[in-house]
Amino acid sequence: METTPQPMTAADNAIPRLALSTGALIPQLGFGTYKVTEDLIPQVIPAAISLGYRHFDTAQMYQNEAALGHALTQTQEQGVAREDLFITTKLNNQNHAPADVHRSFKQSLADLQLDYVDLFLVHWPLPKLYDGKYDETWKAMIEIYQSGQAKAIGVSNFERNHLDKIIDATGFVPHANQIQIHPYLASNELREYCKSLGIVVEAWSPISRGKVLSDPAVTAAANRLGRTAAQIVLRWAIERGDVIFPKSVNPERMKENMGLFDFTLDSETRKALDSLDQGEAGRHGPHPDEADFLR
């Protein structure tokens, strides 16, 4: 099932939204909070809200849910209602046992000071841990979805074999899959498989931790189009139909990352960035089949 981007209002800076299979709409550009420390959250989140960000991505692993929750309580003072926000959090690797899924999710809701989250993800499949029973973890996630406390559920870092296992075990297709995607790791086959199942694809590390920004193909395109290198790469992801949430605590970069919707890439640029794909050689961090860390 293909998802058709639906623009938000001018007041929301025309950020497109994609339809999840639930019918809910997810803003295609969000604000990532990975490595945003608790002391920075109180300044960064109100600034992001002021710039027009409405989609915020966190995780139990990031250890900033409580700070984010406190900051989000201030959004009403900025004229932003809860229903205008899209909040994602993720299950920590230590919490895959079904009882821990439920326990930790309740703690996440308490820390975020929310009655529900818009999307709850399994952070990593961890096939080498928990006897490989991440399908049991997924069953607990389904129970949380059925409770209404997570309006959508999904996974992160799941390859095709991981998706097949949980779908075969439960018949329940994730609403989203958050995977590493950038020009050096385009993940085209996995993206297409997800889309064939109606799974919205989210791209983490969309600028490859900054590595791709100095690539000659990117800098040439930036010079030709009068944009920054980051805008070129992020626009490439947007045009491919991925949800992205670049992280920056720098106000100017936060504003720069919002400036993706008043230009398009020409075919020369798209072909140049498409040609940068290195497959697995472009991945940073462990392959999801090998990831086995608890933290």
Side-chain angles (χ1 to χ4, degrees):
M1 181 182 71
E2 293 293 331
T3 55
T4 302
Q6 301 184 33
M8 299 175 81
T9 66
D12 292 312
N13 292 296
I15 297 174
R17 297 182 292 178
L18 302 179
L20 297 168
S21 59
T22 63
L25 299 176
I26 179 171
Q28 201 175 356
L29 174 68
F31 187 85
T33 65
Y34 177 56
K35 291 189 176 181
V36 180
T37 55
E38 289 184 314
D39 60 313
L40 290 175
I41 289 283
Q43 293 78 43
V44 170
I45 299 306
I49 290 285
S50 295
L51 287 170
Y53 289 93
R54 298 294 181 266
H55 175 185
F56 293 90
D57 180 276
T58 185
Q60 295 172 358
M61 187 183 294
Y62 301 168
Q63 299 183 0
N64 60 15
E65 287 176 310
L68 177 60
H70 181 72
L72 290 175
T73 63
Q74 312 302 313
T75 59
Q76 289 186 346
E77 298 177 8
Q78 295 176 271
V80 179
R82 168 65 184 98
E83 56 267 26
D84 295 327
L85 298 173
F86 194 101
I87 309 300
T88 298
T89 194
K90 311 179 196 74
L91 181 75
N92 201 351
N93 293 351
Q94 296 173 331
N95 298 324
H96 272 222
D100 290 333
V101 175
H102 286 279
R103 175 194 54 77
S104 66
F105 178 71
K106 289 179 181 177
Q107 187 62 53
S108 287
L109 283 184
D111 288 343
L112 288 165
Q113 300 183 47
L114 297 175
D115 295 326
Y116 68 91
V117 295
D118 298 277
L119 180 61
F120 187 39
L121 305 177
V122 180
H123 210 147
W124 288 87
L126 305 177
K128 292 188 173 184
L129 301 178
Y130 301 101
D131 296 321
K133 294 181 179 179
Y134 51 90
D135 53 333
E136 296 298 320
T137 304
W138 185 239
K139 290 176 184 178
M141 296 286 289
I142 295 171
E143 292 170 354
I144 288 172
Y145 171 69
Q146 291 172 338
S147 77
Q149 294 179 302
K151 300 301 182 183
I153 56 172
V155 293
S156 180
N157 301 297
F158 273 50
E159 297 289 309
R160 179 170 180 160
N161 57 307
H162 308 133
L163 292 169
D164 287 344
K165 180 172 180 174
I166 63 173
I167 295 170
D168 289 346
T170 65
F172 194 106
V173 178
H175 301 124
N177 188 12
Q178 188 177 121
I179 53 180
Q180 183 181 159
I181 301 176
H182 44 75
Y184 291 156
L185 181 67
S187 300
N188 290 322
E189 290 185 10
L190 180 54
R191 288 177 66 255
E192 289 306 312
Y193 187 58
C194 287
K195 290 184 178 183
S196 75
L197 296 174
I199 300 172
V200 167
V201 174
E202 299 187 306
W204 67 262
S205 195
I207 60 173
S208 187
R209 296 179 177 173
K211 293 179 181 178
V212 73
L213 300 184
S214 59
D215 191 286
V218 174
T219 57
N223 291 333
R224 184 171 65 253
L225 298 179
R227 296 285 174 164
T228 67
Q231 286 176 323
I232 294 296
V233 177
L234 295 176
R235 181 66 200 181
W236 174 80
I238 290 290
E239 292 188 9
R240 279 160 50 95
D242 297 340
V243 175
I244 57 173
F245 28 87
K247 187 271 294 183
S248 177
V249 297
N250 181 297
E252 288 304 312
R253 288 194 183 130
M254 290 165 60
K255 183 177 180 180
E256 174 188 318
N257 291 341
M258 288 290 291
L260 305 178
F261 307 108
D262 59 351
F263 77 103
T264 58
L265 301 182
D266 53 32
S267 59
E268 179 182 353
T269 299
R270 286 193 295 272
K271 289 178 181 177
L273 268 65
D274 288 344
S275 71
L276 298 179
D277 186 19
Q278 300 172 9
E280 281 303 308
R283 183 185 300 277
H284 51 76
H287 187 281
D289 278 336
E290 303 299 323
D292 60 357
F293 53 93
L294 293 175
R295 62 180 180 183

